[in-house]
Amino acid sequence: MPRPPTRPSRERAELGLSVATAFPSRLEWFERVDSTNDVVAGWLRDGVPEVCVAAADEQTAGRGRSGRTWTAPSGGALLCSVGFRPTWLDPERAWRLAAIVSLAMADAAESEAGLAPGTIRLKWPNDLVIETEAVRKLAGVLGETDGLGTPDARAIIGIGVNGAWSRTDFPAELADSMTSLGEAAAGRPIDRYRLLADFVRRLEARVDALREGRFDAEGWSTRQLTNGRPVRLEQPDGRGQTVLAVGVEPESGALLVAGDSPEAPPRHVLVGEIRHLRLGGVV
Ligand code: BTN
């Protein structure tokens, strides 16, 4: 039985966002919710217009992709979800909503942590990662859609960014594969409220562009860490294949992988075809 979220602890004015604009249509930061994706789903069901944003210090039932859970210590992450009513977007391009959320967050996170632009990369399709001596995950993105192609199209893009917590705080099985903004910023304090406000401002520009049919294909393509690297693709049925990723395709959102022979054109791999992508492996 879902529990109602706690009362909002912060709203837009306290985040330094203008109260006079329609973007976002609604923004609330809660102490604790089941899942910020569920909060936004409820808002959309209740008729809240796009683009609405819910954030929380803590989730009691945070979801990851492929049925996984998503955990973060209370106050240690930016956990937020963005609700869209994408009647204005071709359903085949709905993946671009997750892409612009990831790109806006990558820009905002680099600014908050004092990192050089381009330090945060995308692991196709939308995870935010940082590569030092290893590639580690900074943020995960969960997109959920309903009614695409109908007048009641809804999309919820949730993103969880590891904020100030150190790698030793992660569950042991994740510690080696995760990183946080605090770790990347080498001690510089991370302010999650400022990060959210900056993300929202950057997202507005990207939503406006997308509504006008402009997508930052170059930004999305050049941030992809997979370009030119061997990757292991795991299919929903558990079968896997190691291939050479040669790029991405900004019309369909596909990963481009080398064909079976040097003369063969690259093969398109769509998000729905893959359960998980791992970097590395021998082609
Ligand atoms: C993944 O990498 O598996 C995706 C993780 C997505 C986590 C975020 S946290 C905010 C939003 N609410 C959820 O329940 N999940 C997403």
Side-chain angles (χ1 to χ4, degrees):
M1 178 72 178
R3 285 186 304 172
T6 54
R7 274 182 357 97
S9 55
R10 287 187 186 233
E11 297 187 42
R12 55 202 294 160
E14 293 143 301
L15 296 174
L17 289 166
S18 165
V19 288
T21 68
F23 193 101
S25 58
R26 180 170 179 177
L27 180 148
E28 288 173 20
W29 187 303
F30 300 91
E31 273 174 30
R32 191 172 53 250
V33 297
D34 289 352
S35 157
T36 52
N37 270 33
D38 291 343
V39 172
V40 168
W43 288 354
L44 292 177
R45 258 196 315 274
D46 292 348
V48 172
E50 68 168 2
V51 172
C52 49
V53 179
D57 286 322
E58 187 182 340
Q59 297 185 124
T60 53
R63 287 195 294 283
R65 283 196 306 273
S66 304
R68 290 186 289 264
T69 55
W70 183 262
T71 51
S74 179
L78 172 57
L79 308 167
C80 71
S81 301
V82 185
F84 297 93
R85 295 188 181 278
T87 46
W88 44 272
L89 188 62
D90 181 341
E92 306 238 306
R93 295 198 166 155
W95 64 270
R96 288 183 171 178
L97 297 172
I100 62 171
V101 165
S102 286
L103 289 170
M105 189 60 85
D107 290 341
E110 283 170 351
S111 168
E112 179 61 26
L115 302 173
T119 304
I120 298 175
R121 309 293 300 274
L122 300 183
K123 194 184 89 162
W124 184 85
N126 295 311
D127 278 351
L128 270 53
V129 298
I130 295 182
E131 182 169 36
T132 48
E133 80 290 355
V135 176
R136 296 198 168 89
K137 181 159 164 170
L138 176 70
V141 176
L142 173 67
E144 297 177 316
T145 59
D146 194 19
L148 293 184
T150 76
D152 191 22
R154 301 177 204 173
I156 301 156
I157 312 296
I159 182 163
V161 186
N162 299 321
W165 51 324
S166 81
R167 202 178 315 154
T168 49
D169 297 331
F170 285 90
E173 68 279 11
L174 294 178
D176 264 0
S177 59
M178 301 297 256
T179 190
S180 66
L181 264 192
E183 198 166 74
R188 177 178 161 138
I190 300 299
D191 182 329
R192 292 171 305 135
Y193 303 119
R194 195 170 51 205
L195 175 60
L196 179 68
D198 192 24
F199 161 69
V200 165
R201 284 188 208 100
R202 293 171 189 267
L203 183 65
E204 181 175 10
R206 290 185 179 273
V207 172
D208 287 348
L210 199 55
R211 278 177 159 281
E212 289 163 12
R214 288 179 287 114
F215 172 64
D216 179 11
E218 193 186 331
W220 182 70
S221 301
T222 53
R223 276 207 193 256
Q224 299 289 338
L225 182 73
T226 37
N227 295 339
R229 299 193 183 203
V231 295
R232 177 108 189 128
L233 301 178
E234 282 177 25
Q235 294 163 14
D237 64 7
R239 282 183 302 146
Q241 189 188 17
T242 300
V243 292
L244 179 66
V246 293
V248 286
E249 204 283 300
E251 285 306 311
S252 62
L255 179 74
L256 295 175
V257 304
D260 293 335
S261 69
E263 305 78 43
R267 192 158 60 83
H268 290 56
V269 179
L270 294 170
V271 173
E273 295 170 27
I274 296 301
R275 187 179 64 186
H276 193 65
L277 177 150
R278 277 180 219 290
L279 285 158
V282 179
V283 179

